[in-house]
Amino acid sequence: MSAVLAVTNRQTYDAIIIGAGLSGIHQLYRLRELGMKARVFEAGADLGGTWYWNRYPGARFDSESWSYGYSFSDELLNEWDWKEHFSPQSDNLEYLNLVADKFDLRRDMQFSSCVTAAHWDDSANQWTVTLESGETASARFLFTAVGILSAHTLPRVPGLETFRGPAYHTARWPHTPVDFSGKRVGIIGTGASAIQAIPEIAKQAKQLTVFQRRPNWAAPLHNARIGKAEMEEIRNRYSQIYARCATTPGWFIHQPDPRNTLEVPPEEREAFWEKKYAEPGFGIWMGNFSDIQLDEKANAAISAFIASKIRQRVKDPKVADKLIPKDHGFGTRRVPLESGYFEAYNRDNVLLVDVNETPIERITPAGISTRDKEHEFDMLIYATGFDGVTGAFDRIDFRGPGGVRLRDVWADGPRTYLGQLVDGFPNLLMVLGPHTARGNIPRAIEHSVEWQTGLLRFMREHNYIRVETRPEHVAEWTQTVVKAAQRLLSWKVDSWQTGVNRNVEGRSVRRVLGYNGNAVNYRRVTAEVAAGGYREFVFR
Ligand code: NAP
């Protein structure tokens, strides 16, 4: 009886979208335009994705705000003013809420609705998703808008549950302000999240102890406010800004310098790097000589330059030395942009603990126990990152025809065609899926959404209800993606980008998770597929 009830009560839609972050919001907007009945299931209690969850102090864009927003509505571009060049989390969330309210998108969103399974019904040609609550819903198309950094991970050390004070992961931050004043705070991790949070927490806390396993190369953000007049000037340039982002390898405004590092005379090189270091944003990484990503000697030169900056900024040479990465070169992991990160270590209330010298043995009721002592804390912060890109997929039991599990198909790394579809999983469309070209995320999302909307339009024109990609195209694209990744120095380095996360079982082997072959090439290839009538797909 209950099974019958469950079936008859099941809602049916044209499309289901998993996730109400940047991708889900945009995808819903486009599906509405196509007149499709769509439902968004979101695990969080409200929309916003990354900007809903990551509320830690200092959280902000490190893409230029004005290159980050949606470009699909002139009215929206006219209505919204960015207040800072690198906008803080609260403004970003306000922006996404404005978008959802302006286009009345909320009514198709269901919050606190974590999707646990998605199974394809081959006879009905539709997906059925199951929520944590047991509720089910079906749709012809299933869009994953799950984000690339949404499956957060805690350290694999014993005693996590025993700590008697508050403990927060940066990606599960409380919605009310956290007061650090008079508190002894311990933070584990020195990735982009920690690098934003540490200077802010240090200003308030009585004592902040940073547990570092591997340092990261970081460079200054140089944030600034945007006045009314400047915002008007930016607004007038929006079309140029988006056009520029469409011509760069990482969808940013920053274009690499085509010269080879070592061919440029040393004084000129230094002056170029000084200028980049003093400029806002990712220019020092994305606008640098392009061979720093490819050539060991070029990379060693820029790494030495950044190391000298760290030595200039950190007073204690021993601390400075610990903050300089030795196991990878500049730009071979995602470069965090910082605002006073290195100077935070000049404060009397900040202590750096190198866990390679004194490994963390366990979390205790009083704090963190390392090999040499127990550090006592009032509060713990886990800035320990994510099971990147495929982590969010693995947390959902996707099954295609015949019950084939996506998790099994991707056991050795994702296999996709253009990062948009997977063979054997009909009508599963991945917004910003693995193997897409990434970088400035909203621009990459926009491309994914528009490309998939084009595919749906094509299907509608031809009365198709089912699309699948062919194994040979998946094999070919996966090979292309692997080749593009393996020519880069970053391939030799463990990071979330190469799929390594020692806090997750089975994540110790590098995998290729993105297309590193230049966003311009990616746009060209995907446009050719569309212009060619999607011949790489099988339609019914
Ligand atoms: P992350 O870069 O993966 O950093 C996690 C940190 O935790 C690393 O320093 C890691 O050390 C450390 N860690 C993990 N487990 C540990 C353990 N058991 N013991 C000791 N240390 C441990 O994560 P994230 O900082 O959250 O950033 C992830 C990505 O999110 C960034 O690369 C970026 O793409 C994005 N992000 C973007 C923004 C922005 O746009 N403004 C801000 C924040 C983050 P190891 O390095 O040794 O693994």
Side-chain angles (χ1 to χ4, degrees):
M1 180 66 184
S2 60
V4 172
L5 263 182
V7 168
T8 49
N9 286 344
R10 181 190 302 157
Q11 291 292 327
T12 302
Y13 304 95
D14 297 324
I16 288 174
I17 301 170
I18 309 175
L22 272 165
S23 301
I25 291 170
H26 194 170
Q27 190 65 67
L28 175 61
Y29 174 84
R30 284 295 185 221
L31 295 181
R32 277 266 190 87
E33 271 189 342
L34 289 176
M36 290 172 77
K37 186 180 164 200
R39 187 73 166 167
V40 180
F41 292 115
E42 163 58 51
D46 208 339
L47 59 82
T50 287
W51 302 108
Y52 169 83
W53 295 108
N54 292 267
R55 295 164 186 253
Y56 59 83
R60 59 176 65 250
F61 294 157
D62 42 25
S63 309
E64 289 71 12
S65 309
W66 30 271
S67 76
Y68 192 99
Y70 294 118
S71 73
F72 61 72
S73 158
D74 285 342
E75 227 181 277
L76 177 63
L77 291 172
N78 285 330
E79 199 171 321
W80 176 260
D81 286 356
W82 294 106
K83 298 188 201 73
E84 299 181 44
H85 283 274
F86 301 91
S87 180
Q89 174 272 335
S90 54
D91 287 5
N92 309 342
L93 193 56
E94 187 187 326
Y95 169 72
L96 293 175
N97 274 283
L98 170 90
V99 176
D101 292 338
K102 181 176 174 60
F103 300 108
D104 188 24
L105 300 175
R106 274 177 181 277
R107 68 182 152 88
D108 290 329
M109 295 179 178
Q110 186 173 319
F111 302 117
S112 303
S113 297
C114 181
V115 173
T116 55
H119 294 178
W120 175 255
D121 178 342
D122 215 30
S123 53
N125 278 312
Q126 65 179 17
W127 284 96
T128 295
V129 305
T130 306
L131 309 184
E132 212 165 37
S133 62
E135 188 186 331
T136 59
S138 296
R140 177 131 295 154
F141 295 97
L142 179 61
F143 289 85
T144 61
V146 293
I148 56 166
L149 293 158
S150 54
H152 72 294
T153 53
L154 288 161
R156 280 209 283 183
V157 286
L160 284 192
E161 64 301 335
T162 65
F163 180 63
R164 61 172 169 250
Y168 308 119
H169 191 288
T170 45
R172 287 295 177 278
W173 201 260
H175 289 205
T176 46
V178 174
D179 184 10
F180 303 99
S181 46
K183 303 242 166 45
R184 298 161 305 167
V185 181
I187 181 166
I188 301 180
T190 49
S193 301
I195 284 173
Q196 288 188 328
I198 285 166
E200 296 303 315
I201 300 170
K203 284 180 204 160
Q204 265 194 47
K206 182 172 157 202
Q207 170 69 36
L208 176 64
T209 306
V210 180
F211 292 85
Q212 173 181 272
R213 189 164 63 189
R214 282 187 299 161
N216 274 296
W217 296 101
L221 177 68
H222 297 302
N223 185 30
R225 292 196 69 77
I226 300 177
K228 273 268 166 220
E230 191 180 8
M231 189 59 229
E232 280 319 307
E233 185 268 327
I234 288 170
R235 215 187 305 281
N236 291 332
R237 283 193 298 115
Y238 266 137
S239 55
Q240 287 156 261
I241 292 166
Y242 294 129
R244 179 164 174 93
C245 291
T247 63
T248 67
W251 319 84
F252 288 99
I253 58 156
H254 308 285
Q255 190 71 268
D257 189 306
R259 291 173 296 173
N260 284 335
T261 307
L262 300 178
E263 284 166 17
V264 178
E267 307 81 63
E268 194 181 331
R269 205 162 65 206
E270 287 284 311
F272 175 77
W273 284 338
E274 286 290 353
K275 185 167 172 291
K276 292 279 168 208
Y277 197 80
E279 281 172 2
F282 277 129
I284 187 75
W285 186 26
M286 297 287 168
N288 213 315
F289 304 119
S290 46
D291 67 344
I292 66 161
Q293 316 272 2
L294 298 162
D295 180 81
E296 301 271 4
K297 285 190 180 141
N299 187 272
I302 178 67
S303 299
F305 173 84
I306 305 286
S308 74
K309 290 290 174 194
I310 298 173
R311 288 200 184 91
Q312 283 164 25
R313 292 174 59 187
V314 179
K315 283 189 192 143
D316 182 336
K318 282 197 196 117
V319 176
D321 196 54
K322 281 193 199 313
L323 291 167
I324 296 171
K326 311 288 185 305
D327 67 343
H328 68 280
F330 176 79
T332 61
R333 299 174 98 194
R334 199 281 205 179
V335 175
L337 295 183
E338 45 82 31
S339 307
Y341 174 66
F342 293 107
E343 287 73 11
Y345 293 95
N346 296 335
R347 301 175 68 105
D348 293 337
N349 67 333
V350 177
L351 175 72
L352 182 65
V353 174
D354 182 342
V355 304
N356 301 298
E357 288 168 6
T358 53
I360 296 174
E361 291 190 328
R362 61 183 304 112
I363 307 295
T364 65
I368 296 179
S369 186
T370 62
R371 196 160 62 195
D372 69 335
K373 67 180 268 200
E374 184 178 27
H375 299 258
E376 292 194 2
F377 298 115
D378 304 306
M379 189 187 288
L380 289 183
I381 298 170
Y382 299 112
T384 44
F386 303 87
D387 184 7
V389 187
T390 52
F393 284 88
D394 280 0
R395 292 178 187 195
I396 298 171
D397 178 25
F398 289 99
R399 292 195 206 180
V404 175
R405 286 170 198 259
L406 185 64
R407 202 180 292 156
D408 295 338
V409 175
W410 284 3
D412 298 328
R415 303 174 47 75
T416 76
Y417 182 52
L418 305 174
Q420 312 271 0
L421 286 97
V422 189
D423 56 322
F425 292 82
N427 293 8
L428 178 69
L429 296 147
M430 302 180 291
V431 184
L432 200 70
H435 293 178
T436 46
R438 297 194 299 261
N440 194 4
I441 293 292
R443 302 277 66 81
I445 287 174
E446 184 170 75
H447 176 271
S448 233
V449 169
E450 299 305 336
W451 193 87
Q452 293 180 0
T453 305
L455 177 65
L456 286 184
R457 226 178 260 126
F458 176 86
M459 290 180 72
R460 169 177 293 189
E461 280 160 16
H462 293 81
N463 275 326
Y464 295 137
I465 58 159
R466 174 171 163 148
V467 57
E468 227 173 319
T469 181
R470 296 194 172 93
E472 62 268 30
H473 296 300
V474 169
E476 192 189 326
W477 182 250
T478 303
Q479 189 56 25
T480 301
V481 164
V482 168
K483 261 198 204 152
Q486 290 184 344
R487 66 187 237 292
L488 298 175
L489 295 174
S490 53
W491 178 244
K492 299 178 182 164
V493 181
D494 288 351
S495 73
W496 69 261
Q497 290 175 301
T498 49
V500 177
N501 183 330
R502 287 187 250 163
N503 297 319
V504 183
E505 191 72 50
R507 286 280 193 264
S508 52
V509 177
R510 288 187 203 134
R511 293 166 302 137
V512 179
L513 301 180
Y515 174 60
N516 296 303
N518 192 327
V520 179
N521 287 340
Y522 182 71
R523 293 167 71 92
R524 184 183 43 75
V525 173
T526 48
E528 281 169 6
V529 170
Y534 304 97
R535 283 195 303 269
E536 295 75 4
F537 297 91
V538 181
F539 295 99
R540 284 195 214 161

